[in-house]
Amino acid sequence: MKPYRVMPKSFIYDDGWQHRGVCNFSKISAAQITTLHDTDFELNMFVHNPKMDQISEILYHSNNLKDVPSAKLVKAFLDVFTDIDYVIDIGAHIGSISILSAMMGKKVVAIDADKENLNLLCSSVVNSSLQKNVVIIHGVVGMSHKAVTWAYQTNGNHSGNYVDTEDITWSQKSGSNWSLEGRAPFMMDNMIDMLPNMTTSNVFVSIDVNGYENIVLSGAHLFFKKTKVRGVLINFKYHKSKPSGSFIVQILKKTGLHPYCYLNNTLVNLERYKISNWPDQIMWI
């Protein structure tokens, strides 16, 4: 595969911060900060206005890490699979998984299409002195480099933004609170060129992109072939009764992973249950 020629905008630490169009700290002064408590550490995060942004509301009103389902799942996974080197957080939002993983000593690649989310994530990284652990990329991950349409809300809610697909179209989301923007995606396969040492590392991937998860996996053939992916947390909410759900299952089973969920702090294999009955968050191990 030819190297990806257009490097997405990123904010990389290499003996000093390299600013590449992401992270505007001048906008952070009015942001609110919240703390999630855990037995091992405290997770301090900058959030959007919790009255406007859905994910920020959850984080702001949560006292413990266990109150945030996705972060709880990742913490449980990383506690067991201690040999994970890299965590790839696709659809990072303001970064609960990214910050958590960096706090646990992992190298993190946090990717989000919303610059306002990344401004807060950058500030959380700096606030916790995690600069050496985190690479932040502003971009859309897709199945090819063909331009896509990114739909985002203009009412202060940064949690429901999405990329147009056949299943989720602009016509379903049209209204005064939405705007459109053309984006040139990169693929998970391109990350092999961006971070070559990842091919010899143990990797965990989180994908939460509001119904676009199957498209992200469509561009990850070489990534799964050339890296040691030990686990994948995927938002399955939008795929349970759709062909995209069967596609996701097929792709991840080919990698040798199996679907699980946590029930009463116990891992439960989901393969004997109907896909339509699976929970929203699936951990593939």
Side-chain angles (χ1 to χ4, degrees):
M1 184 182 68
K2 294 181 179 180
Y4 186 47
R5 297 300 182 186
V6 182
M7 180 69 177
K9 292 181 178 179
S10 55
F11 193 59
I12 301 174
Y13 184 88
D14 182 16
D15 296 325
W17 285 107
Q18 297 178 10
H19 295 261
R20 297 186 183 176
V22 182
C23 298
N24 185 348
F25 292 107
S26 65
K27 293 186 177 182
I28 303 304
S29 58
Q32 302 182 64
I33 193 167
T34 189
T35 300
L36 299 176
H37 301 277
D38 184 72
T39 54
D40 298 325
F41 46 72
E42 291 186 344
L43 203 66
N44 297 309
M45 294 192 59
F46 286 87
V47 298
H48 296 292
N49 184 339
K51 294 182 179 180
M52 305 294 291
D53 181 67
Q54 293 175 357
I55 291 178
S56 293
E57 180 183 18
I58 293 171
L59 294 174
Y60 189 74
H61 294 292
S62 300
N63 292 319
N64 297 293
L65 185 68
K66 65 181 181 181
D67 296 328
V68 183
S70 57
K72 177 184 176 181
L73 286 169
V74 173
K75 175 67 162 53
F77 179 90
L78 295 179
D79 278 340
V80 174
F81 295 88
T82 56
D83 60 345
I84 295 297
D85 303 299
Y86 273 95
V87 172
I88 314 300
D89 190 5
I90 301 174
H93 195 261
I94 57 175
S96 57
I97 289 175
S98 292
I99 299 299
L100 163 67
S101 302
M103 291 284 288
M104 296 181 72
K106 311 304 177 184
K107 294 291 185 182
V108 176
V109 180
I111 306 166
D112 201 88
D114 190 332
K115 190 179 292 187
E116 300 301 320
N117 286 339
L118 295 183
N119 284 336
L120 295 176
L121 175 51
C122 288
S123 294
S124 297
V125 168
V126 173
N127 184 62
S128 296
S129 300
L130 298 171
Q131 294 96 315
K132 291 186 178 181
N133 289 61
V134 181
V135 171
I136 295 173
I137 297 176
H138 179 223
V140 172
V141 184
M143 65 184 296
S144 69
H145 300 152
K146 183 180 178 180
V148 297
T149 300
W150 181 59
Y152 63 96
Q153 299 180 75
T154 57
N155 60 357
N157 183 15
H158 298 265
S159 302
N161 303 335
Y162 71 99
V163 176
D164 268 357
T165 67
E166 292 181 359
D167 293 329
I168 306 175
T169 63
W170 171 242
S171 62
Q172 294 173 303
K173 293 283 189 178
S174 60
S176 58
N177 292 329
W178 288 88
S179 291
L180 295 178
E181 184 176 306
R183 289 294 185 87
F186 67 100
M187 300 156 62
M188 283 186 69
D189 287 349
N190 299 130
M191 297 182 70
I192 298 170
D193 300 317
M194 297 176 193
L195 300 164
N197 61 328
M198 192 181 295
T199 58
T200 59
S201 304
N202 293 315
V203 179
F204 174 80
V205 182
S206 171
I207 309 175
D208 187 353
V209 285
N210 293 326
Y212 197 63
E213 290 80 7
N214 57 310
I215 306 299
V216 171
L217 289 174
S218 296
H221 173 72
L222 287 178
F223 181 87
F224 280 100
K225 184 177 180 179
K226 293 190 175 183
T227 63
K228 302 173 184 177
V229 178
R230 301 291 302 279
V232 176
L233 176 64
I234 194 160
N235 184 350
F236 204 66
K237 175 181 178 181
Y238 302 93
H239 307 285
K240 297 178 187 180
S241 301
K242 296 180 178 179
S244 59
S246 298
F247 174 81
I248 290 171
V249 171
Q250 181 182 16
I251 289 292
L252 292 177
K253 280 190 174 181
K254 282 184 178 179
T255 68
L257 301 174
H258 301 275
Y260 290 85
C261 72
Y262 278 95
L263 182 64
N264 298 324
N265 295 319
T266 301
L267 270 178
V268 177
N269 190 306
L270 294 170
E271 289 173 305
R272 61 191 180 96
Y273 299 98
K274 291 183 178 180
I275 293 176
S276 58
N277 294 329
W278 286 9
D280 292 347
Q281 299 286 338
I282 308 297
M283 182 70 77
W284 288 81
I285 301 173

